[in-house]
Amino acid sequence: MNFKNTTKPAANKIIIVAGLIFIALFCFTADCKNKPVQKSPLPADISLVKSHLKALTETPEFRNHKNIDQLNEVADYIKQNFSKYGDSTIFQEYNVEAKIYKNVITSFGTENKKRIIIGAHYDVCGDQQGADDNATGVTALLELARMLKNQKLNYRIDLVAYTLEEPPYFRTENMGSHIHAQYLKDHNIDVYGMASVEMIGYFKDEKNSQTYPLGILSWVYGDKGDFITLVKKFGAGNFVNNFSTQFKEANQIKTEIFTAPKFVKGTDFSDHLNYWKFGYSALMITDTSFFRNKNYHENTDTLETLDLVRMTKVIDGIFLSLIHMK
């Protein structure tokens, strides 16, 4: 989330930055309200979370775009687990440079027309385990599948595990999320909105463990990496506003909402960017990535670095938001 150079006058930049700080202060104040913690009818299971994380990270080869057989094995693992719970589970296959890559999709509440997409990518950048980036996001999908089974839902929920989010395909039409969002648009599917689950397992309570694209934001959010962030853009849409409200009401974990203009780099560093591209209401759920986790895109991004207790609380927050969505 570094600021880009723009051609706007400096005064306009100051006004925009001041607006950002005002929004941040407003969100921070909202966080200070005393709210009860919602009780989940089916909480996330920390033992299952750890089991899925181990299965995703401790693979014979790294799950990057070069190791197509390993990606297929991971896709099979996701599909097998999705199939235990979903109303329907499929591969969405597509061709890139004469290789077949696969998104994995499972659906709940298929009697409803309007749908919500909850997505996370299962590939990694280079030769590393990618525990936080993004085995945590995929594990959230796997647990949500178990938790959503037999729940009364007001929307159809599609859980989508994407391939090819990472370089060299990031920001290209070969991203699995671009393929999926394009399909939704081309087939005029009624989509309420999308949430990208991108790195949700790294938390720190030490001072100076959290950085920001703008240093002054530490005055608002503090310098401890002890919160989860909902990242949205201006004019985020009904779904994002509804989901954010529900997530805050669930009160499972300390939560900050960050609303950013287009010139703030980093707010679109995940699969939600492709849903923005097609005009859908979308947000990112994240521990702030490299602004906190210095293991980002390094071989030190391992299971041992994660806080599984707080990670399960993020999953509980997503689950409660979905089942209470009006």
Side-chain angles (χ1 to χ4, degrees), residues 65-93:
H65 73 99
K66 296 179 181 178
N67 298 325
I68 185 69
D69 291 339
Q70 185 62 69
L71 280 181
N72 284 336
E73 287 185 18
V74 172
D76 287 341
Y77 176 83
I78 296 168
K79 187 171 188 284
Q80 288 166 10
N81 281 275
F82 276 176
S83 297
K84 297 176 185 178
Y85 309 111
D87 296 348
S88 65
T89 304
I90 62 169
F91 284 136
Q92 182 183 35
E93 299 182 347

Side-chain angles (χ1 to χ4, degrees), residues 82 87-88 90 104-110 112-120 141 144 148 153 155-162 180 183-184 189-191 193-195 275 322:
F82 276 176
D87 296 348
S88 65
I90 62 169
V104 194
I105 307 169
T106 194
S107 303
F108 299 84
T110 51
N112 300 305
K113 181 182 179 182
K114 190 181 289 290
R115 72 182 70 186
I116 294 170
I117 314 299
I118 307 294
L141 299 187
L144 286 170
L148 286 169
L153 301 169
Y155 297 90
R156 170 172 168 156
I157 310 295
D158 285 358
L159 305 180
V160 188
Y162 309 112
H180 184 255
Y183 176 87
L184 297 174
I189 292 173
D190 191 358
V191 177
M194 182 268 182
Y275 297 84
L322 293 175

Side-chain angles (χ1 to χ4, degrees), residues 108-156:
F108 299 84
T110 51
E111 68 277 8
N112 300 305
K113 181 182 179 182
K114 190 181 289 290
R115 72 182 70 186
I116 294 170
I117 314 299
I118 307 294
H121 69 91
Y122 64 87
D123 62 316
V124 298
C125 180
D127 292 342
Q128 45 125 331
Q129 291 187 8
D132 196 24
D133 185 18
N134 190 29
T136 56
V138 177
T139 294
L141 299 187
L142 293 168
E143 260 298 83
L144 286 170
R146 181 185 69 85
M147 297 160 74
L148 286 169
K149 184 177 176 62
N150 297 326
Q151 295 293 327
K152 174 62 178 175
L153 301 169
N154 292 319
Y155 297 90
R156 170 172 168 156

Side-chain angles (χ1 to χ4, degrees), residues 188-203:
N188 296 314
I189 292 173
D190 191 358
V191 177
Y192 185 34
M194 182 268 182
S196 173
V197 190
E198 177 68 47
M199 302 179 65
I200 60 166
Y202 193 86
F203 298 89

Side-chain angles (χ1 to χ4, degrees), residues 201-215:
Y202 193 86
F203 298 89
K204 290 292 180 182
D205 295 312
E206 292 80 11
K207 290 183 177 180
N208 301 316
S209 57
Q210 180 69 48
T211 61
Y212 301 92
L214 187 65

Side-chain angles (χ1 to χ4, degrees), residues 30-31 35-40 116 118 154-155 157 192 195 228 230 232 237-255 257 283 285 313-326:
D31 276 338
K35 296 178 181 178
V37 176
Q38 284 185 6
K39 184 176 180 180
S40 176
I116 294 170
I118 307 294
N154 292 319
Y155 297 90
I157 310 295
Y192 185 34
I228 199 71
L230 306 184
K232 61 179 183 174
N238 291 335
F239 165 75
V240 169
N241 294 331
N242 192 350
F243 183 91
S244 299
T245 298
Q246 296 297 337
F247 195 92
K248 297 275 284 187
E249 288 295 325
N251 200 23
Q252 299 299 300
I253 187 170
K254 183 179 178 182
T255 303
I257 297 176
L283 81 160
I285 306 166
K313 293 302 181 183
V314 178
I315 298 171
D316 287 336
I318 298 170
F319 172 67
L320 288 164
S321 300
L322 293 175
I323 65 173
H324 292 148
M325 192 79 68
K326 301 300 183 184

